[in-house]
Amino acid sequence: MSSLQVRHDWKRAEIEALFALPMNDLLFKAHSIHREVYDPNEVQISRLLSIKTGACPEDCKYCPQSARYDTGLEKERLLAMETVLTEARSAKAAGASRFCMGAAWRNPKERDMPYLKQMVQEVKALGMETCMTLGMLSPEQANELAGAGLDYYNHNLDTSPEYYGDVITTRTYQNRLDTLSNVRASGMKVCSGGIVGMGEQATDRAGLLQQLANLPQHPDSVPINMLVKVAGTPFEKLDDLDPLEFVRTIAVARILMPKSRVRLSAGRESMSDELQAMCFFAGANSIFYGCKLLTTPNPEENDDMSLFRRLGLRPEQARNSNPALDSLEAEEALLAKAAAHQDKAEAQFYDAAAL
């Protein structure tokens, strides 16, 4: 009998009951649902590039890009087109099927829209899926980006409505929901998740997932970030979250949103291989891949592929990939490319949790 249910009417008590299950029962339930929808040994890989870094006017307490905190981050202007395309080509060669571009803005300015649309078109011409995260979008801006061919738009809810005011005061929860609504209405796919380990309670983690699962359509991608504590931000000295609570969050997200890709996102650098393996078993089937997520570290590309090999996982192939290249050749090419770029410290990758 199928255990798959696609619902948009989850009650908080139901979700808290899932979190309270014995771990073995929770993992069995989540993994069983995962296998019904996805190949359990395939992981979608995205690459993330900051196209404009720092000087954000928002006060998100976790974010090193906020102009309000002294984190030593140097602000940068929008990257040149050829720089973006060089990084996109490198990402594709290293096995990424989706290229995500992020700017540290409250919202994009109208003067930037033509350049952003050209960027989308140029990256898509390489045969990759495209994603952007630029802050809040008006309906008109969402339609413009959709018209340029943007596939995904990322805008995280971050936490529960009840805890949100302890994290951010410069934009409201409704602002975030409105942007997601504008993105959906434009026809783009929604990428939206949150951050755990920000001092929230267990009920807040349930509340975050409730908000995501009860959207009119489940997000196509759900990034679950573990807080990366950055010196100079208000959250730099918070206690670490129990890693098993992170696994529980992944598992419950998989149960509530069975057809969404659940992305193991920021914080992987501090996660053991065993913890990541539990997350993949619990239903995570997407990662951000590369040497950095902007200012926060991420496991090196070849470390990721080494873990994939040990776990018997394989990268999901891009839709426009070469069918003559079988999975073994693809993995070997990926490892070779990753080794060649291991010391490329200038590549700046954006943390989706930062907007």
Side-chain angles (χ1 to χ4, degrees), residues 151-294:
D151 298 299
Y152 289 81
Y153 194 80
N154 166 262
H155 199 65
N156 289 335
L157 294 182
D158 285 352
T159 188
S160 70
E162 296 84 359
Y163 191 61
Y164 183 83
D166 292 299
V167 179
I168 302 156
T169 66
T170 50
R171 76 175 82 165
T172 68
Y173 212 80
Q174 189 60 49
N175 289 152
R176 293 181 180 265
L177 293 172
D178 289 345
T179 290
L180 295 184
S181 178
N182 295 338
V183 170
R184 270 195 311 274
S186 75
M188 288 187 289
K189 296 177 180 178
V190 169
C191 174
S192 187
I195 312 168
V196 299
M198 296 193 295
E200 77 281 350
Q201 301 298 311
T203 187
D204 294 307
R205 293 189 283 279
L208 166 65
L209 296 184
Q210 181 187 27
Q211 289 292 315
L212 294 167
N214 286 351
L215 290 170
Q217 293 176 246
H218 292 167
D220 298 271
S221 293
V222 181
I224 304 296
N225 300 272
M226 178 80 87
L227 175 69
V228 177
K229 291 176 281 189
V230 178
T233 63
F235 283 172
E236 67 172 300
K237 295 183 179 180
L238 289 177
D239 292 337
D240 291 339
L241 181 72
D242 180 349
L244 294 182
E245 285 302 307
F246 186 82
V247 176
R248 286 184 180 276
T249 306
I250 294 285
V252 175
R254 170 52 65 214
I255 293 167
L256 301 187
M257 294 168 280
K259 295 186 177 181
S260 301
R261 291 202 176 277
V262 177
R263 180 171 299 135
L264 185 55
S265 197
R268 286 200 304 124
E269 166 68 14
S270 63
M271 296 180 190
S272 68
D273 289 350
E274 294 79 7
L275 176 57
Q276 292 188 65
M278 288 187 71
C279 289
F280 290 128
F281 186 83
N285 63 340
S286 177
I287 63 169
F288 279 126
Y289 179 71
C291 62
K292 259 186 186 179
L293 299 179
L294 183 59

Side-chain angles (χ1 to χ4, degrees), residues 84-119:
V84 174
L85 294 179
T86 296
E87 293 295 343
R89 293 186 192 102
S90 174
K92 184 179 180 182
S97 59
R98 188 180 307 163
F99 192 68
C100 305
M101 296 159 276
W105 285 326
R106 176 177 172 81
N107 52 271
K109 302 292 191 294
E110 289 307 311
R111 65 174 180 267
D112 297 314
M113 292 301 293
Y115 189 66
L116 295 170
K117 291 188 290 183
Q118 182 187 357
M119 197 176 290

Side-chain angles (χ1 to χ4, degrees), residues 49-55 65 74-85 101-105 107-120 132-135 145 348 350 355:
L49 175 70
S50 175
I51 60 173
K52 186 270 176 185
T53 302
Q65 297 211 68
E74 294 185 10
K75 64 181 181 180
E76 299 176 1
R77 295 183 177 181
L78 270 171
L79 292 182
M81 186 71 68
E82 190 51 43
T83 301
V84 174
L85 294 179
M101 296 159 276
W105 285 326
N107 52 271
K109 302 292 191 294
E110 289 307 311
R111 65 174 180 267
D112 297 314
M113 292 301 293
Y115 189 66
L116 295 170
K117 291 188 290 183
Q118 182 187 357
M119 197 176 290
V120 170
M132 280 186 162
T133 177
L134 312 168
L145 291 172
Q348 294 289 300
Y350 180 76
L355 280 188

